[in-house]
Amino acid sequence: MEFKTRSPNGLLMYTDDGGTYDFFELKMVEGTLRLRYNLGAGAQILMAGHDLYDGRWHRAAIERRGRVTALTVDNTTSAAASAGKELQFGRLASNSPVYVGGMPGWYNGRLTRLALPSVIFEPRFSGAVRNIVYTDEFYPYPRRQTAITDPARQPKVTPRTDDIDPSREC
């Protein structure tokens, strides 16, 4: 993804394993990009870049190859090997949705659905994000996340009377 901001703090991206244990949290902390993650062996932190709240576009990437997780910002990479592999980064089939820019407010009453409940209290990202690519090894081609995750935003459907089949039992 690419981002630009004039704010030194804010949540850029969050996803987890559906609220069990594993998560990826990407956020700005005092102008540095910080990736905190857990893949089953405890939380780890990677940091890259500095003074990233200059209003210019910066490119960020998170990659997981085998046991190594890497955070790259512009041309600076921070990487670490970590045990655990339960959460397969980018796997939409088993992970929760990916939240960009902050967590939806409706999670306030549903903290048990988050692997990292404290993420709900992180300040929202203030700036712009573009060119988000989210892939996995099982489906390596970029694709859209189409799920609507906020129950309050689900479309309301009102059947028309001419759509009702009187022979159908309810």
Side-chain angles (χ1 to χ4, degrees):
M1 76 171 66
E2 293 174 293
F3 68 93
K4 69 178 179 177
T5 184
R6 294 216 177 264
S7 177
N9 301 298
L11 182 66
L12 259 169
M13 189 267 316
Y14 178 81
T15 189
D16 66 24
D17 62 355
T20 308
Y21 301 108
D22 305 332
F23 62 87
F24 278 87
E25 174 198 48
L26 183 65
K27 67 180 186 174
M28 293 277 293
V29 178
E30 298 303 318
T32 298
L33 205 55
R34 183 178 94 175
L35 173 65
R36 183 166 53 154
Y37 63 99
N38 183 1
L39 299 171
Q44 292 192 302
I45 294 176
L46 296 174
M47 298 177 80
H50 58 86
D51 298 326
L52 299 172
Y53 58 105
D54 58 5
R56 296 181 185 164
W57 286 106
H58 297 279
R59 184 181 182 106
I62 302 169
E63 263 188 298
R64 178 96 174 132
R65 293 188 187 268
R67 295 176 40 115
V68 176
T69 302
L71 169 64
T72 302
V73 178
D74 298 329
N75 293 317
T76 303
T77 299
S78 177
S82 56
K85 59 181 177 190
E86 285 82 15
L87 178 66
Q88 295 172 332
F89 188 68
R91 190 150 195 215
L92 293 176
S94 60
N95 298 351
S96 72
V98 178
Y99 297 101
V100 177
M103 297 299 291
W106 59 266
Y107 260 119
N108 282 333
R110 299 177 182 95
L111 295 181
T112 57
R113 293 185 181 180
L114 295 169
L116 182 65
S118 63
V119 73
I120 195 71
F121 304 109
E122 294 294 341
R124 297 180 69 81
F125 179 78
S126 176
V129 176
R130 68 182 183 190
N131 298 327
I132 298 171
V133 178
Y134 190 72
T135 63
D136 66 29
E137 63 189 51
F138 301 101
Y139 191 89
Y141 306 104
R143 63 204 182 275
R144 295 177 90 153
Q145 173 178 308
T146 57
I148 297 174
T149 58
D150 183 348
R153 295 188 65 202
Q154 293 289 340
K156 303 243 187 281
V157 178
T158 306
R160 296 184 351 217
T161 55
D162 57 342
D163 289 342
I164 298 173
D165 181 359
S167 64
R168 191 172 143 217
E169 291 184 24
C170 295

Short mmCIF file of all heavy atoms in Angstrom, two decimals, residues 10-14 26 98-105 107 119-120 122-126 129:
data_model
loop_
_atom_site.label_atom_id
_atom_site.label_comp_id
_atom_site.label_asym_id
_atom_site.label_seq_id
_atom_site.Cartn_x
_atom_site.Cartn_y
_atom_site.Cartn_z
N GLY A 10 -1.58 6.79 14.11
CA GLY A 10 -2.85 6.34 13.56
C GLY A 10 -2.77 4.92 13.04
O GLY A 10 -1.74 4.47 12.54
N LEU A 11 -3.89 4.21 13.15
CA LEU A 11 -3.99 2.82 12.71
C LEU A 11 -4.18 2.76 11.19
O LEU A 11 -5.14 3.30 10.66
CB LEU A 11 -5.17 2.14 13.41
CG LEU A 11 -5.39 0.67 13.08
CD1 LEU A 11 -4.23 -0.18 13.59
CD2 LEU A 11 -6.70 0.19 13.71
N LEU A 12 -3.24 2.12 10.51
CA LEU A 12 -3.32 1.98 9.06
C LEU A 12 -4.07 0.72 8.64
O LEU A 12 -4.86 0.75 7.70
CB LEU A 12 -1.91 1.91 8.47
CG LEU A 12 -1.39 3.18 7.84
CD1 LEU A 12 0.08 3.06 7.53
CD2 LEU A 12 -2.15 3.52 6.60
N MET A 13 -3.83 -0.42 9.31
CA MET A 13 -4.42 -1.68 8.86
C MET A 13 -4.50 -2.66 10.03
O MET A 13 -3.62 -2.69 10.88
CB MET A 13 -3.57 -2.28 7.75
CG MET A 13 -4.15 -3.47 7.02
SD MET A 13 -3.72 -5.13 7.59
CE MET A 13 -2.01 -5.14 7.92
N TYR A 14 -5.56 -3.46 10.04
CA TYR A 14 -5.70 -4.51 11.04
C TYR A 14 -6.44 -5.70 10.43
O TYR A 14 -7.41 -5.53 9.70
CB TYR A 14 -6.49 -4.02 12.27
CG TYR A 14 -6.68 -5.11 13.29
CD1 TYR A 14 -5.66 -5.43 14.19
CD2 TYR A 14 -7.85 -5.85 13.35
CE1 TYR A 14 -5.81 -6.45 15.12
CE2 TYR A 14 -8.01 -6.87 14.27
CZ TYR A 14 -6.99 -7.17 15.15
OH TYR A 14 -7.14 -8.17 16.06
N LEU A 26 -0.92 -2.74 11.81
CA LEU A 26 0.04 -1.81 11.20
C LEU A 26 -0.39 -0.40 11.54
O LEU A 26 -1.51 0.00 11.22
CB LEU A 26 0.07 -2.00 9.68
CG LEU A 26 1.07 -1.16 8.91
CD1 LEU A 26 2.51 -1.54 9.27
CD2 LEU A 26 0.84 -1.32 7.41
N VAL A 98 -10.16 -7.18 6.45
CA VAL A 98 -9.02 -6.29 6.62
C VAL A 98 -9.58 -4.89 6.80
O VAL A 98 -10.33 -4.41 5.96
CB VAL A 98 -8.11 -6.34 5.37
CG1 VAL A 98 -6.94 -5.38 5.54
CG2 VAL A 98 -7.62 -7.75 5.13
N TYR A 99 -9.20 -4.25 7.89
CA TYR A 99 -9.67 -2.90 8.16
C TYR A 99 -8.53 -1.93 7.88
O TYR A 99 -7.43 -2.09 8.37
CB TYR A 99 -10.13 -2.77 9.61
CG TYR A 99 -11.31 -3.67 9.89
CD1 TYR A 99 -11.15 -4.88 10.54
CD2 TYR A 99 -12.58 -3.31 9.45
CE1 TYR A 99 -12.23 -5.72 10.76
CE2 TYR A 99 -13.66 -4.15 9.66
CZ TYR A 99 -13.47 -5.35 10.32
OH TYR A 99 -14.55 -6.17 10.53
N VAL A 100 -8.81 -0.91 7.09
CA VAL A 100 -7.81 0.08 6.71
C VAL A 100 -8.26 1.43 7.24
O VAL A 100 -9.40 1.84 7.02
CB VAL A 100 -7.64 0.14 5.17
CG1 VAL A 100 -6.66 1.24 4.78
CG2 VAL A 100 -7.17 -1.21 4.64
N GLY A 101 -7.38 2.10 7.97
CA GLY A 101 -7.66 3.44 8.45
C GLY A 101 -8.25 3.52 9.84
O GLY A 101 -8.42 4.60 10.37
N GLY A 102 -8.58 2.41 10.44
CA GLY A 102 -9.17 2.39 11.78
C GLY A 102 -10.23 1.31 11.87
O GLY A 102 -10.64 0.74 10.87
N MET A 103 -10.64 1.05 13.08
CA MET A 103 -11.65 0.01 13.31
C MET A 103 -13.04 0.63 13.31
O MET A 103 -13.23 1.75 13.77
CB MET A 103 -11.39 -0.67 14.66
CG MET A 103 -10.07 -1.40 14.72
SD MET A 103 -9.92 -2.72 13.51
CE MET A 103 -11.10 -3.90 14.14
N PRO A 104 -14.02 -0.12 12.80
CA PRO A 104 -15.39 0.40 12.81
C PRO A 104 -15.90 0.51 14.25
O PRO A 104 -15.60 -0.33 15.10
CB PRO A 104 -16.19 -0.64 12.01
CG PRO A 104 -15.31 -1.82 11.85
CD PRO A 104 -13.91 -1.42 12.16
N GLY A 105 -16.67 1.55 14.51
CA GLY A 105 -17.19 1.81 15.85
C GLY A 105 -18.06 0.70 16.40
O GLY A 105 -18.14 0.52 17.61
N TYR A 107 -17.55 -2.27 16.69
CA TYR A 107 -16.79 -3.27 17.43
C TYR A 107 -16.75 -2.96 18.93
O TYR A 107 -16.41 -3.82 19.72
CB TYR A 107 -15.35 -3.37 16.92
CG TYR A 107 -15.10 -4.54 16.00
CD1 TYR A 107 -14.69 -4.33 14.70
CD2 TYR A 107 -15.28 -5.85 16.42
CE1 TYR A 107 -14.46 -5.39 13.84
CE2 TYR A 107 -15.05 -6.92 15.58
CZ TYR A 107 -14.64 -6.68 14.29
OH TYR A 107 -14.42 -7.74 13.46
N VAL A 119 -6.99 -2.79 19.93
CA VAL A 119 -6.93 -2.11 18.63
C VAL A 119 -8.10 -1.14 18.45
O VAL A 119 -7.98 -0.14 17.75
CB VAL A 119 -6.84 -3.12 17.46
CG1 VAL A 119 -8.16 -3.82 17.23
CG2 VAL A 119 -6.36 -2.45 16.19
N ILE A 120 -9.22 -1.41 19.10
CA ILE A 120 -10.39 -0.55 18.96
C ILE A 120 -10.12 0.86 19.51
O ILE A 120 -10.75 1.83 19.10
CB ILE A 120 -11.64 -1.19 19.61
CG1 ILE A 120 -12.92 -0.51 19.16
CG2 ILE A 120 -11.54 -1.18 21.11
CD1 ILE A 120 -13.30 -0.77 17.74
N GLU A 122 -7.18 2.45 19.28
CA GLU A 122 -6.11 3.12 18.53
C GLU A 122 -6.70 4.30 17.76
O GLU A 122 -7.81 4.22 17.24
CB GLU A 122 -5.45 2.16 17.54
CG GLU A 122 -4.69 1.04 18.17
CD GLU A 122 -3.47 1.49 18.94
OE1 GLU A 122 -2.99 2.63 18.71
OE2 GLU A 122 -3.01 0.72 19.79
N PRO A 123 -5.95 5.41 17.67
CA PRO A 123 -6.45 6.54 16.87
C PRO A 123 -6.54 6.14 15.40
O PRO A 123 -5.71 5.40 14.90
CB PRO A 123 -5.40 7.63 17.09
CG PRO A 123 -4.17 6.92 17.56
CD PRO A 123 -4.63 5.67 18.24
N ARG A 124 -7.57 6.64 14.75
CA ARG A 124 -7.77 6.36 13.33
C ARG A 124 -6.67 7.06 12.52
O ARG A 124 -6.14 8.08 12.92
CB ARG A 124 -9.14 6.84 12.89
CG ARG A 124 -10.27 6.11 13.60
CD ARG A 124 -11.64 6.59 13.16
NE ARG A 124 -11.92 6.21 11.80
CZ ARG A 124 -12.35 5.01 11.41
NH1 ARG A 124 -12.53 4.07 12.29
NH2 ARG A 124 -12.61 4.76 10.15
N PHE A 125 -6.36 6.47 11.38
CA PHE A 125 -5.38 7.07 10.46
C PHE A 125 -6.01 8.29 9.82
O PHE A 125 -7.15 8.27 9.38
CB PHE A 125 -4.99 6.05 9.39
CG PHE A 125 -4.02 6.58 8.39
CD1 PHE A 125 -2.68 6.69 8.71
CD2 PHE A 125 -4.45 6.97 7.13
CE1 PHE A 125 -1.77 7.18 7.78
CE2 PHE A 125 -3.55 7.46 6.20
CZ PHE A 125 -2.20 7.56 6.53
N SER A 126 -5.26 9.36 9.77
CA SER A 126 -5.72 10.60 9.14
C SER A 126 -4.79 10.89 7.98
O SER A 126 -3.62 11.22 8.19
CB SER A 126 -5.69 11.74 10.16
OG SER A 126 -6.03 12.95 9.54
N VAL A 129 -4.70 6.75 1.60
CA VAL A 129 -4.14 5.42 1.32
C VAL A 129 -4.55 5.06 -0.11
O VAL A 129 -5.68 5.30 -0.52
CB VAL A 129 -4.69 4.37 2.31
CG1 VAL A 129 -4.20 2.99 1.96
CG2 VAL A 129 -4.31 4.73 3.74
#
